[in-house]
Amino acid sequence: MDKHLLGFSLTASNFQAANAFFIMLFAPLFSIMWVWLAKRHLDPPAPVKFAIGLLLLGAGFLVLNLGKGRPSRASFRPSS
């Protein structure tokens, strides 16, 4: 599988660090959104927040499924 992006070679640890990056990116945005909604009395109840979290979790697994790729013919080796 080709693990190159914009001319950079990516390792497994690079992919593992993406999780922390997205947590750091989206956590402040969601906390700001919850405060903004609470000020307008539009804050959803906790079960709705859990449901949103589960939907985002499912979307993350869909993205992982897309990222698995298909092996190319060059990656197969004869078994002789």
Side-chain angles (χ1 to χ4, degrees), residues 50-65:
F50 276 103
I52 292 169
L54 287 173
L55 288 172
L56 291 173
L57 176 71
F61 278 110
L62 287 175
V63 171
L64 280 174
N65 194 29

